Amino acid sequence: GQSLEQPSEVTAVEGAIVQINCTYQTSGFYGLSWYQQHDGGAPTFLSYNGLDGLEETGRFSSFLSRSDSYGYLLLQELQMKDSASYFCAVRPGYSSASKIIFGSGTRLSIRP
Amino acid sequence: DAGVTQSPTHLIKTRGQQVTLRCSPKSGHDTVSWYQQALGQGPQFIFQYYEEEERQRGNFPDRFSGHQFPNYSSELNVNALLLGDSALYLCASSLAAIKGTYEQYFGPGTRLTVT
C-alpha cells in the first residue's frame, strides 16, 4: 500500500523553531511537497523537494532523504499566524500526471 | 489574476440525492484535480482531468464522476449520496506543461452536508 505518516499535533512557542517530520511508503516517488491549511481555509503550497537535500524559502525550509523515505518541514522564528495544519504530500508515480497522496496532517499550535 | 473558484460554498443534500460541484481553475492552468477532505484528515484524491479526459483516479466508487470543459473548468458529480459523503470538496488546478507540476493551487472548497 501507499502511506504517509506525520505527527498529529505539535505545540511550540512563538519565536522558536519547530520541525514536522514525514515518512512515506509508496510504490514510486516523484517528489515530496508541503502544504499549509488554516482552519476553514484551503491548502496552500509551501515547498517541494524532488531531490535529496534542503530547500529554503524564507522562514520555512524542507528536507528530503529519498534513501530513508523521509522528509521534514522546518519553521523558524515562529509567529502566531503559523498556527495551522501542515500536510506532507507525495507523487507516487514517475510522472507529473500521477495523483498526489496527502498525509493526515500535523496541527501546529503556537503559544505566546 | 483570478485564483481557483468553486461553487457553491455550502450545500445541504438528502441521502440518495445527486449533487454537482463546480470549479474554475486559476487563469492559465489546464489541469484540475478534485479532493475530498473529511474533518481532521488530509485531502483524499478523487480524480484529475486534463484535456477534457480523466487522467488519474483515486479509490472512489463510480458514484463519483466528473467532467472538464473546453475552457478547463470542471464539475464533480456525486450520485446516490451517502451520509459518509459529507466533507469539504476541494478543487486544485495546475499547469501540465510545467515539468513536475508539484505546485497545485486550491480553491476555497465546497462544504457538502448529507442528511
Side-chain angles (χ1 to χ4, degrees):
Chain A
Q2 303 180 103
S3 65
L4 291 88
E5 289 197 15
Q6 52 182 129
S8 58
E9 292 185 24
V10 172
T11 300
V13 178
E14 190 176 13
I17 299 173
V18 70
Q19 178 174 312
I20 299 174
N21 299 320
C22 174
T23 58
Y24 58 88
Q25 275 190 313
T26 59
S27 56
F29 182 79
Y30 195 70
L32 178 71
S33 303
W34 289 91
Y35 286 81
Q36 178 192 61
Q37 186 177 30
H38 287 98
D39 286 347
T44 56
F45 173 81
L46 291 178
S47 69
Y48 169 78
N49 293 76
L51 300 174
D52 289 353
L54 192 68
E55 294 285 339
E56 297 179 78
T57 307
R59 296 187 297 114
F60 294 180
S61 302
S62 57
F63 172 82
L64 174 64
S65 169
R66 288 175 295 171
S67 60
D68 296 322
S69 297
Y70 163 77
Y72 67 71
L73 178 69
L74 190 74
L75 297 82
Q76 303 181 72
E77 301 173 15
L78 286 170
Q79 302 175 10
M80 297 303 292
K81 67 178 182 179
D82 296 330
S83 293
S85 292
Y86 292 83
F87 297 92
C88 58
V90 300
R91 285 188 186 276
Y94 292 103
S95 94
S96 62
S98 172
K99 62 184 180 184
I100 296 179
I101 298 175
F102 281 80
S104 296
T106 298
R107 188 171 185 86
L108 174 62
S109 299
I110 311 295
R111 294 183 286 111
Chain B
D1 181 17
V4 180
T5 60
Q6 292 186 244
S7 63
T9 306
H10 295 85
L11 202 53
I12 299 175
K13 288 287 190 178
T14 303
R15 192 171 42 185
Q17 286 187 316
Q18 177 266 343
V19 68
T20 297
L21 311 181
R22 295 176 176 80
C23 170
S24 290
K26 179 179 169 62
S27 178
H29 283 186
D30 56 10
T31 302
V32 172
S33 301
W34 286 92
Y35 295 85
Q36 180 194 68
Q37 186 176 27
L39 203 60
Q41 298 295 316
Q44 299 294 309
F45 178 81
I46 302 176
F47 41 54
Q48 182 185 83
Y49 276 86
Y50 171 69
E51 292 188 337
E52 302 180 49
E53 290 189 358
E54 184 182 290
R55 193 159 71 160
Q56 283 280 331
R57 189 178 182 92
N59 296 325
F60 280 80
D62 292 344
R63 297 188 297 109
F64 289 77
S65 63
H67 188 79
Q68 185 179 35
F69 299 93
N71 67 352
Y72 307 120
S73 67
S74 176
E75 287 182 349
L76 164 65
N77 300 292
V78 186
N79 294 322
L81 284 167
L82 304 174
L83 296 179
D85 295 331
S86 296
L88 179 68
Y89 288 84
L90 295 163
C91 166
S93 74
S94 55
L95 185 58
I98 296 178
K99 187 175 175 63
T101 49
Y102 46 84
E103 183 170 358
Q104 293 195 332
Y105 291 80
F106 282 84
T110 294
R111 173 70 64 185
L112 172 65
T113 302
V114 181
T115 62

